[in-house]
Amino acid sequence: MIIIKLGGSIITDKTDYRKFNKDVVARLCKEIKESGQKVIIVHGAGSFGHIISKRFKLNEGYVDDAQIPAVAQVCYDTRDLSSMIIKELIDAGIPAISIPPGSAFYMEDRILRIEDESVIRMMVEKGLMPVMFGDVVQDKNLGFAICSGDQITELLAKMFDVERVIFVSDIDGLFDSDPKTDPNAELLSKIDKDTLSAVNTDISVDDVTGGVRGKIETMLDMCSKERDCILVNGMVEGRLLSLLKGEDVICTRAEGE
Ligand code: IP8
C-alpha cells in the first residue's frame, strides 16, 4: 500500500482564495490510475483552508465567537475542494469517497483520535479509496483545532501496511534554502535527522501547519526500515507516474535506519 499526500500547493494556488488547480489534479489522478498501484490519497487544504484559518487564528483553538462562522466556512471550503478532487478521481476510474475528518473524528490537544477505524478498513477491503484531508476538527480541550493532511497521513500509515509515503508538491524536493527566492538553492536527494538544522525553512505563504519544516519532521517521523518517504514534484508531467512505476526520478527521499 502507498499513501499519496497531494499538497495544498499543487492542488490549489495557495495565494488565491479557493483557486483549484483542476488540470493538474486531473493529470495526477490519471497518473495514479495508470500506475496500477494500490493507493490511498490524502490532500491538503491549500487556499481553501489556510487563508481563512490564519486570518481567524483557528489553530489557536477557540478564542472568541467571531471564529465560529470562520470554522463553518473553512469546513465548507475544504469539503468543496475534496468533492472536486473526488470528481477527478472518479473520472480517472478510481472509486473514491471523501471522509471529512472534521465530521468523522475529534482531537485532544491537537492529537487526532479515530475511535472506530472499521469504516475506513471496510472501504479499503472493497477496493474503495477513502480520501481524507486537512480540516478544522472539534478539539475536546481547545474547542477546535487544525488537523493537517500530514497528521492524517501519519495515522493511516499506522493503520495499514504502508511501504511508501509520497508527498506530492510543487518543488523538486527539499532544498537547502527556498528555490523560489534563492537561485543557488541545492536539492537534497536524501535527508536524515541532521537535515533540519541545515536548511532555511522560512515560510513564504499563508500556512498554519508548519510549511517546509513541518514537512521534513513528518517525513523523518514516518520513515522506517520498511517504509521510505518521498517528496516529489507533481507539476512535472509523468514524474509521479515514473516514481510509482519504480523508476529513478528527481526527488527527496527520507530513509529509515
Ligand atoms: O494543508 C490544513 O491542512 P494541510 C488544514 O494538510 C486547514 O496542512 C484547514 C488549514
Side-chain angles (χ1 to χ4, degrees):
M1 165 93 73
I2 296 172
I3 300 180
I4 297 181
K5 159 85 193 288
L6 297 176
S9 59
I10 188 140
I11 57 177
T12 75
D13 178 342
K14 282 191 93 169
T15 61
D16 193 350
Y17 177 55
R18 285 184 54 98
K19 176 116 189 351
F20 177 52
N21 289 342
K22 184 180 188 306
D23 293 347
V24 174
V25 173
R27 174 177 52 75
L28 290 171
C29 293
K30 282 186 200 128
E31 290 186 27
I32 292 166
K33 173 70 182 169
E34 195 184 325
S35 76
Q37 295 282 357
K38 191 164 185 186
V39 162
I40 289 187
I41 289 175
V42 175
H43 65 82
S47 62
F48 288 66
H50 287 269
I51 294 174
I52 291 186
S53 296
K54 190 169 184 186
R55 191 179 307 150
F56 288 88
K57 299 189 169 69
L58 300 188
N59 208 22
E60 290 178 15
Y62 175 82
V63 177
D64 60 47
D65 284 349
Q67 294 170 304
I68 301 300
V71 170
Q73 185 65 49
V74 173
C75 285
Y76 171 78
D77 289 341
T78 51
R79 280 149 191 71
D80 215 13
L81 172 64
S82 201
S83 295
M84 293 180 210
I85 292 171
I86 297 288
K87 163 102 177 67
E88 298 309 324
L89 285 165
I90 289 175
D91 285 355
I94 299 173
I97 299 179
S98 180
I99 303 182
S103 307
F105 315 121
Y106 68 92
M107 294 180 104
E108 268 174 327
D109 287 321
R110 299 196 175 86
I111 298 181
L112 183 65
R113 305 277 185 217
I114 298 186
E115 280 178 351
D116 183 0
E117 300 171 353
S118 60
V119 172
I120 300 171
R121 287 190 189 282
M122 279 159 68
M123 285 182 186
V124 171
E125 278 158 20
K126 288 187 193 74
L128 289 160
M129 182 198 282
V131 174
M132 286 183 266
F133 51 87
D135 199 8
V136 186
V137 173
Q138 302 307 301
D139 187 302
K140 285 196 172 173
N141 300 325
L142 302 171
F144 47 77
I146 301 290
C147 170
S148 74
D150 288 1
Q151 280 171 281
I152 303 272
T153 303
E154 284 192 73
L155 204 125
L156 288 169
K158 283 182 195 137
M159 276 177 66
F160 295 99
D161 196 11
V162 173
E163 80 263 18
R164 178 171 276 190
V165 181
I166 301 175
F167 293 90
V168 182
S169 183
D170 62 344
I171 49 174
D172 282 342
L174 291 170
F175 287 77
D176 55 359
S177 61
D178 187 350
K180 287 173 183 163
T181 53
D182 179 1
N184 298 319
E186 276 184 31
L187 180 77
L188 306 164
S189 55
K190 278 202 181 132
I191 56 167
D192 58 30
K193 289 180 213 82
D194 298 328
T195 310
L196 261 189
S197 50
V199 294
N200 173 357
T201 54
D202 282 352
I203 300 165
S204 55
V205 291
D206 286 343
D207 194 314
V208 291
T209 51
V212 175
R213 177 166 291 270
K215 186 69 63 209
I216 300 175
E217 282 170 352
T218 308
M219 286 175 70
L220 292 172
D221 279 354
M222 292 184 68
C223 69
S224 69
K225 236 186 196 157
E226 292 77 34
R227 179 193 303 140
D228 57 357
C229 289
I230 294 169
L231 181 61
V232 68
N233 193 345
M235 287 299 197
V236 181
E237 201 170 328
R239 194 172 285 177
L240 177 62
L241 175 60
S242 299
L243 180 66
L244 288 168
K245 282 159 88 181
E247 294 163 13
D248 268 347
V249 299
I250 295 168
C251 63
T252 293
R253 198 177 291 262
E255 280 166 350
E257 289 149 8

